[in-house]
Amino acid sequence: MKILRKLIGAVSMLLLATACQGQSDDQHIAAIVANLSPAMVKEGAPIHGKSLRETMNEDHVSAVSIAFIRHGNIAWVRSFGTLGIGGDPVAPDTLFQAGSISKPVTATAVMHLVQQGKLSLDENVNTSLVHWRLPASDKAQGKPVTLRELLSHTAGINVHGFPGYAAGTPVPTTLQVLDGTPPATNSPIRVEQVPGKQWNYSGGGYVILQQMITDVTGQSFADVLRDMVLKPYGMTHSSFQQPLAPGSLKQVAMPYEANGTPIAGGPHVYPELAAAGLWTTASDLAHFLLATQQALMHGNTVLNMSTAQQMVTPGLGDWGLGLEIGGKPDHRYFWHGGGNEGYQCIMTAYEGEGDGAVVMTNSNQGYALANDVVRSIAREYQWPDWGPRVVHTVSVDAATLKRYVGTYKINPWFSFVVTFQNDKLFIQGTGQPNLELWPESPARFTFVVDVDVAFVRDAHGTVTGMNVLQDGKTTFAKKQ
């Protein structure tokens, strides 16, 4: 069955490759940067997006680096913008902080140690921890935390993420981070739910992994990751050195706030190395994706095929061990996003010798741009996933549309204003642009930022509010 799945996937990729052979990569690149795909498009309508340059200017992103994978190779790498406003041009070896993409790199080292018999996926993590132990918790209901659960964010551990430490401020040790003691700014990393029962993203869990790696190897985390993953995978510009040596800063894309203000003092320092400490380039992350693809097909010097397959076996929340899994069973992909202060990025690749992409930016507003770029790559290379959502619209009479006009209040600080203009409905959130609502039914609409709204009526047919649906969550806005 596994062989059949691989064969079907290979045939699918061959068909996609044949469909794209009519254009060169330079033509695809030109189309991508000239016309970024929005999150959603109307069925049958041409895509008229903004250019990469326009989007970079609007989102205050000075530096973008993109790497594209095709047929088991890095097909192209392109960099855009400058290291900072008025700075030198971005180059293929420009460094960015990878944020949470540090986690799958860490997970690869953990799985190598499992493969060596130095760690066990399903034992109590306290059997491997030496210089720190995870305290007992009544909320665990007697269930121990396992390595598998830490890797897959199902251990019931708290602390979602970390803000880092501004240049010149005290930086805590790993033990201080784990216990939440000064100068650490996070809460103590503890069990707050029954392990194994539900998925809950936890950067804190990966700091426990960081301590485990140093305890079982007797070496620094940065050295272990360098020798165990970065060097074997050809990630020659990457490191977990925090902070970077001053001489390396000349290669760094400097970080920016969402409004274009430089992050004071430059890059933050992240002692939470396993969760957020990786410095890297788009091409180095492409090497990581390629090595993971190779491990899944036939193994490599770091992971054998069986170990790699465990990493991409989805469990709770569609997460494997260190990677999120998507796509159909015969054409799956693995991916991860990352965001540190002033940096946002994304990487994804299909299994086998499928396509993949990495996009890195130097702004707190960069994730939206990175997603636009990946969608545009998916459009140009005809991926079955990652492209814009295609919306089938219906016709709704003007009388019905006019009933929805009004102000819809979510809280004292934020409202949506719905207006009727030129036989169409428009919606504008507080401090946001005015956007057209596309009717999917007489009562349900969506708009280009991939948010759905469903108008609510009472028993008399009077519109009383609307449900706002985004990222799987529903928020009610009351009509005023």
Side-chain angles (χ1 to χ4, degrees):
M1 193 67 175
K2 190 176 291 184
I3 294 173
L4 177 61
R5 192 181 79 184
K6 289 183 178 179
L7 178 60
I8 293 171
V11 171
S12 299
M13 291 308 299
L14 179 61
L15 292 173
L16 288 174
T18 302
C20 292
Q21 282 177 352
Q23 286 184 293
S24 69
D25 280 327
D26 284 343
Q27 289 172 310
H28 284 303
I29 295 167
I32 290 165
V33 302
N35 186 18
L36 294 185
S37 291
M40 305 201 316
V41 295
K42 287 185 181 180
E43 186 178 42
I47 296 175
H48 294 299
K50 296 174 182 176
S51 71
L52 176 62
R53 176 58 61 189
E54 288 176 304
T55 307
M56 289 175 67
N57 289 338
E58 289 182 6
D59 292 350
H60 306 291
V61 179
S62 82
V64 175
S65 191
I66 307 168
F68 176 69
I69 293 170
R70 199 122 202 260
H71 308 322
N73 293 288
I74 298 177
W76 52 263
V77 179
R78 295 290 187 278
S79 300
F80 304 87
T82 59
L83 301 181
I85 296 173
D88 292 333
V90 182
D93 62 352
T94 293
L95 292 169
F96 296 78
Q97 286 188 354
S100 288
I101 290 180
S102 306
K103 294 180 176 70
V105 179
T106 297
T108 301
V110 169
M111 294 303 287
H112 181 74
L113 292 169
V114 169
Q115 196 171 270
Q116 290 182 323
K118 295 179 180 178
L119 288 172
S120 173
L121 281 174
D122 297 306
E123 286 184 357
N124 186 331
V125 296
N126 278 336
T127 62
S128 298
L129 288 163
V130 177
H131 296 96
W132 179 87
R133 296 293 182 94
L134 180 62
S137 169
D138 291 341
K139 294 178 181 178
Q141 297 181 12
K143 190 178 184 306
V145 168
T146 68
L147 183 63
R148 187 186 302 275
E149 292 162 347
L150 290 177
L151 288 167
S152 60
H153 301 286
T154 59
I157 301 293
N158 63 345
V159 185
H160 182 275
F162 302 93
Y165 295 83
T169 62
V171 177
T173 65
T174 304
L175 296 181
Q176 288 172 326
V177 172
L178 287 166
D179 285 329
T181 56
T185 58
N186 58 277
S187 301
I189 295 173
R190 300 291 187 263
V191 179
E192 291 197 342
Q193 296 172 339
V194 179
K197 291 297 183 182
Q198 66 184 67
W199 182 88
N200 183 48
Y201 190 89
S202 173
Y206 272 72
V207 181
I208 298 175
L209 293 175
Q210 179 176 327
Q211 185 63 46
M212 291 179 73
I213 288 173
T214 59
D215 281 349
V216 301
T217 64
Q219 302 175 48
S220 74
F221 180 86
D223 286 351
V224 173
L225 268 288
R226 179 195 63 208
D227 296 337
M228 198 171 287
V229 181
L230 302 182
K231 279 188 175 181
Y233 279 5
M235 301 173 69
T236 57
H237 297 95
S238 303
S239 78
F240 280 88
Q241 183 178 352
Q242 289 280 347
L244 277 179
S248 298
L249 289 176
K250 62 184 179 182
Q251 296 175 269
V252 167
M254 300 305 287
Y256 285 83
E257 301 278 7
N259 63 4
T261 303
I263 299 295
H268 279 194
V269 177
Y270 287 83
E272 309 88 1
L273 302 177
L278 178 62
W279 281 100
T280 189
T281 67
S283 56
D284 271 14
L285 287 183
H287 280 293
F288 176 81
L289 293 175
L290 284 170
T292 303
Q293 288 178 326
Q294 292 160 4
L296 291 170
M297 290 187 291
H298 45 68
N300 58 33
T301 58
V302 177
L303 300 178
N304 62 39
M305 188 169 69
S306 175
T307 303
Q309 287 288 346
Q310 289 189 71
M311 291 186 68
V312 298
T313 299
L316 293 174
D318 292 327
W319 279 78
L321 306 181
L323 291 161
E324 188 167 2
I325 314 304
K328 295 181 179 179
D330 61 345
H331 200 219
R332 294 194 309 177
Y333 61 84
F334 53 92
W335 76 284
H336 211 291
N340 278 0
E341 185 66 16
Y343 297 96
Q344 293 187 346
C345 51
I346 191 168
M347 69 173 190
T348 184
Y350 285 96
E351 293 184 16
E353 289 190 346
D355 288 1
V358 180
V359 185
M360 308 200 79
T361 76
N362 68 332
S363 169
N364 283 335
Q365 190 72 3
Y367 197 64
L369 182 149
N371 270 289
D372 287 349
V373 172
V374 174
R375 274 193 296 268
S376 304
I377 289 173
R379 175 198 72 207
E380 282 300 306
Y381 289 95
Q382 300 181 35
W383 290 5
D385 310 279
W386 287 98
R389 174 182 160 194
V390 179
V391 179
H392 173 71
T393 59
V394 301
S395 178
V396 180
D397 62 274
T400 299
L401 295 178
K402 289 178 181 177
R403 292 178 185 173
Y404 302 138
V405 170
T407 299
Y408 297 79
K409 193 172 186 178
I410 287 181
N411 56 46
W413 308 277
F414 190 89
S415 299
F416 285 107
V417 177
V418 176
T419 56
F420 181 77
Q421 307 168 38
N422 300 320
D423 295 325
K424 299 176 182 178
L425 278 187
F426 288 79
I427 189 168
Q428 184 171 22
T430 302
Q432 298 179 355
N434 195 33
L435 301 170
E436 181 186 350
L437 281 171
W438 300 343
E440 297 178 280
S441 77
R444 187 181 178 102
F445 297 72
T446 190
F447 53 113
V448 72
V449 292
D450 202 6
V451 177
D452 290 354
V453 297
F455 291 98
V456 179
R457 299 187 188 190
D458 63 18
H460 305 289
T462 302
V463 178
T464 58
M466 68 180 181
N467 287 317
V468 182
L469 300 91
Q470 184 176 26
D471 298 331
K473 298 179 181 178
T474 301
T475 304
F476 180 72
K478 185 177 181 180
K479 190 176 184 182
Q480 300 302 294

